[in-house]
Amino acid sequence: MVKIGISLSAIIFSLLVEAHHDAHDDPVRNAYIKTISCGMALEILDSVSFLSLLIVKETHLLYTFAFENFILGLSSINIMLPAVALYKLTISGFGETYPLPLEIIYKLLHLFLVNIPYLSVRIYLWQFYSYSDTSIFMVKNIYAIIALLRAIYPDLIRAVNCYKNRNITSIVHRPGLPTSNGILQNETNSVNVRKKNNMEEVTVALTTLKKRQDDRDESDILRQFPPNLKLSK
């Protein structure tokens, strides 16, 4: 019953998220929210599986008091992270903006406090206790570690660029999502520069085209007179 009760929190989290946003008509925002909801549901199920390591009737394993507290602590952290995800969605307008510092912290917490410790504990039990019933979630932890590393890298690059430009802000525009007042100034400047360059190119092209048209009209006028006719100036 404890496992079922904790597992139901994944449904409650999804209902809370779905009831507090209006992104159903925006495919990009809706996909972003769905990804967070599904990912968090999988993390909660991972915590339930991790907590089941303490059930002696299922594992037939006895641990030290410190090791049991370690498992309880890691499981509690992962169960508390949905609150951070909900806060992240709230301050970002449910996908309208991208809270860069909070995104980095959130992903680092999942990486170093959830997936890496979970994987380490499961490998330890598999290696020294021959307990392999958690092999499915071991694959999940490995996949999550790779996915988080790939997701954190571009965010860290963007954060470093913001620091170099002395333009630290908590909200930045997420590519593909509607713009917001929190767009980084350097991104706006780069867009303006590109627009200016495009306008200059269009102006030069129109000037060249007009010049060619004037030359063509003058040639057509001269062809109307006999070749031996000299026009007086």
Side-chain angles (χ1 to χ4, degrees), residues 16 53 62 66 109 160 180 215 233:
L16 281 173
L53 296 175
L62 294 176
L109 289 176
V160 170
S180 176
D215 294 340
K233 296 183 180 180

Side-chain angles (χ1 to χ4, degrees), residues 214-232:
D214 292 341
D215 294 340
R216 189 180 297 110
D217 294 341
E218 184 178 354
S219 300
D220 293 339
I221 293 174
L222 292 176
R223 289 194 191 98
Q224 296 177 5
F225 295 93
N228 55 357
L229 180 63
K230 296 182 178 181
L231 297 177
S232 60

Side-chain angles (χ1 to χ4, degrees), residues 63-197:
Y63 312 109
T64 62
F65 184 73
F67 192 71
E68 288 183 355
N69 288 336
F70 182 68
I71 293 176
L72 285 173
L74 292 177
S75 301
S76 301
I77 291 173
N78 201 15
I79 292 174
M80 292 295 295
L81 283 179
V84 181
L86 192 60
Y87 174 72
K88 179 183 67 171
L89 287 173
T90 302
I91 67 171
S92 65
F94 284 83
E96 290 184 356
T97 53
Y98 191 73
L100 182 59
L102 186 57
E103 282 285 344
I104 294 176
I105 295 173
Y106 179 75
K107 292 172 183 176
L108 289 176
L109 289 176
H110 266 290
L111 182 63
F112 291 107
L113 296 181
V114 178
N115 287 288
I116 291 179
Y118 279 30
L119 180 62
S120 302
V121 170
R122 284 166 173 155
I123 291 177
Y124 172 78
L125 295 177
W126 184 27
Q127 182 68 27
F128 295 99
Y129 293 91
S130 300
Y131 184 75
S132 59
D133 290 346
T134 59
S135 57
I136 296 178
F137 281 99
M138 284 176 60
V139 176
K140 175 263 172 187
N141 293 139
I142 295 173
Y143 173 79
I145 290 171
I146 297 173
L148 286 171
L149 288 175
R150 293 188 61 183
I152 290 173
Y153 178 75
D155 288 344
L156 290 177
I157 295 298
R158 177 174 291 183
V160 170
N161 292 335
C162 294
Y163 178 76
K164 289 181 179 179
N165 296 329
R166 298 297 189 269
N167 193 2
I168 305 300
T169 180
S170 59
I171 304 294
V172 297
H173 174 53
R174 183 177 180 87
L177 294 179
T179 57
S180 176
N181 293 331
I183 300 176
L184 285 177
Q185 188 65 31
N186 58 351
E187 293 185 2
T188 305
N189 292 338
S190 63
V191 172
N192 293 334
V193 170
R194 287 196 297 269
K195 288 182 179 179
K196 183 178 179 180
N197 293 335

Side-chain angles (χ1 to χ4, degrees), residues 14-85:
S14 299
L15 291 175
L16 281 173
V17 172
E18 291 294 333
H20 287 81
H21 73 86
D22 56 351
H24 300 288
D25 297 331
D26 190 336
V28 179
R29 284 181 60 200
N30 198 27
Y32 174 66
I33 295 171
K34 293 287 186 183
T35 300
I36 293 179
S37 298
C38 296
M40 189 53 60
L42 186 60
E43 292 293 342
I44 292 174
L45 295 178
D46 191 12
S47 297
V48 173
S49 176
F50 197 69
L51 275 174
S52 65
L53 296 175
L54 300 177
I55 302 177
V56 180
K57 292 182 180 180
E58 294 184 5
T59 62
H60 304 288
L61 297 175
L62 294 176
Y63 312 109
T64 62
F65 184 73
F67 192 71
E68 288 183 355
N69 288 336
F70 182 68
I71 293 176
L72 285 173
L74 292 177
S75 301
S76 301
I77 291 173
N78 201 15
I79 292 174
M80 292 295 295
L81 283 179
V84 181

